[in-house]
Amino acid sequence: MQRTIVIGNISLDHIHRPGHPPVRQLGGAALHLAVAAARAGLPVAPAAAIGSDLTRLTGDPRLPALDWTLLHHAPGPTAAFTIYYDEAGTVTAVDTAYGTAEHLTAHALRLIDSHPQATFHVSCRRPLRIRDVLQALTARGCSFSLDFHLPSAPQLIPAATPWLHRAATVFVNAEEHTLLTQTAGPRPCPEVVVTDGPRPARVLLYGRTLPPATPPAVPTVRQITGAGDTLAGTYLAHRARHVSPAIALTRAVQAASRHTAQTPLPLPAPS
C-alpha cells in the first residue's frame, strides 16, 4: 500500500470545555489523522514543522509506528492552539501561536516537488497557504484529499475551490458542508464525507448520498479534539485498501467514537 504524506500541524493544545478542567495535550490535525491512519493499517508520514519543544515526539511510546522522516525541525516553539468548545462540542474560538508552523508551506512545497508520485492529505488550516499547496499538487498530478476546520473554513474553502474537483475526497462537518455547497456547488469533488459530531455521518459520491453511519454511544467522553481527524484517517486507510465507502465510513465513525473515550495525550511527551 502506498504511503500517504499528511501535510498539517502538530501542536501543543490547551483545551477548554464547559464543565471540565482545562487540558494541555499533544494535538494537531496531522498528528491525529496520521495516528488513526496508521492504526488502521495505512503507511503514513506526517509532514509538519515542529520546534525544539517536541524533539522527543518521534520516540513517544504512546504513538503507533509512524514514518517521521518528513518532519521539519525548525528553531522556535511548536505551534500552540487554545481551543474553546461550547456545551454541544462545537468550537467557539481558537487562540493561536503559530510558531514553527509558519515554515509549513515552504516545507510542503519542497515535499510535493520531491515526491510527485506520492499520495497526499492536506489538513487545511492556517497558516498553511492553501492556494500555493493545491496549485503545486495539481501541477504535479498528485493524488490528494483534503479536510477543513470550521474556524478557518469561511476563508479556506473559497481559497481551495479552484482545485476541489481534483481532490479524491474532501472531509467536512455539517456547517462546513453548507459553506462548501454554497461556494463550490453540490458536487465539488468525487467523494465528500460529512460528519456531525455524535450524529450520523454520511458520504456523498458525485452528489449521491449513501446511507448514513451512526457513531456508537460513548458512556464517558474524555476528549473531543481530534475526533474528526481520527475519522478521516481511518476512512482513508480503509479506502486505500479498496473497502467500499459505506463500510469505510462505518469503521471510521467507530474509530472516532473510541477516540473520544480515550484519555488525551498529556504534555510533555515522556522520554
Side-chain angles (χ1 to χ4, degrees):
M1 193 185 305
Q2 186 177 22
R3 177 180 67 169
T4 294
I5 298 172
V6 181
I7 296 172
N9 295 321
I10 293 177
S11 59
L12 310 178
D13 293 345
H14 193 189
I15 308 301
H16 294 263
R17 293 171 57 201
H20 298 265
V23 176
R24 293 186 182 274
Q25 64 185 67
L26 279 172
L31 181 66
H32 288 302
L33 192 145
V35 165
R39 286 177 174 156
L42 181 66
V44 62
I50 62 171
S52 56
D53 46 7
L54 278 186
T55 55
R56 294 181 292 174
L57 176 67
T58 59
D60 193 325
R62 302 170 299 177
L63 301 176
L66 296 173
D67 179 352
W68 295 111
T69 59
L70 302 186
L71 284 183
H72 177 66
H73 297 266
T78 298
F81 300 107
T82 302
I83 307 173
Y84 299 88
Y85 292 90
D86 62 17
E87 294 282 358
T90 301
V91 176
T92 59
V94 179
D95 294 335
T96 59
Y98 291 128
T100 54
E102 297 285 5
H103 299 274
L104 181 57
T105 299
H107 178 52
L109 294 177
R110 288 192 296 268
L111 291 178
I112 294 166
D113 189 54
S114 58
H115 297 81
Q117 303 305 315
T119 297
F120 288 83
H121 178 82
V122 183
S123 292
C124 300
R125 312 283 196 276
R126 296 190 184 103
L128 190 67
R129 297 198 300 275
I130 297 303
R131 291 179 180 273
D132 293 349
V133 171
L134 296 186
Q135 188 173 39
L137 287 168
T138 302
R140 283 288 190 173
C142 300
S143 174
F144 64 91
S145 53
L146 307 171
D147 72 82
F148 293 92
H149 188 223
L150 187 57
S152 58
Q155 293 76 41
L156 297 190
I157 287 177
T161 294
W163 299 276
L164 289 176
H165 69 285
R166 299 294 296 270
T169 309
V170 171
F171 296 88
V172 288
N173 68 18
E175 293 182 69
E176 294 157 3
H177 184 241
T178 299
L179 291 170
L180 184 69
T181 302
Q182 292 172 346
T183 304
R187 299 181 183 181
C189 76
E191 189 171 83
V192 178
V193 178
V194 184
T195 61
D196 195 11
R199 292 164 289 279
R202 53 201 170 101
V203 177
L204 285 74
L205 292 182
Y206 296 97
R208 179 174 63 89
T209 303
L210 300 186
T214 302
V218 176
T220 302
V221 175
R222 293 185 170 88
Q223 62 176 330
I224 300 174
T225 306
D229 302 314
T230 298
L231 186 149
T234 305
Y235 185 88
L236 289 174
H238 288 295
R239 292 292 282 135
R241 292 199 297 272
H242 306 293
V243 173
S244 71
I247 294 176
L249 183 65
T250 296
R251 295 174 180 175
V253 299
Q254 291 170 348
S257 292
R258 289 195 297 271
H259 172 83
T260 64
Q262 296 169 354
T263 301
L265 293 174
L267 298 175
S271 59

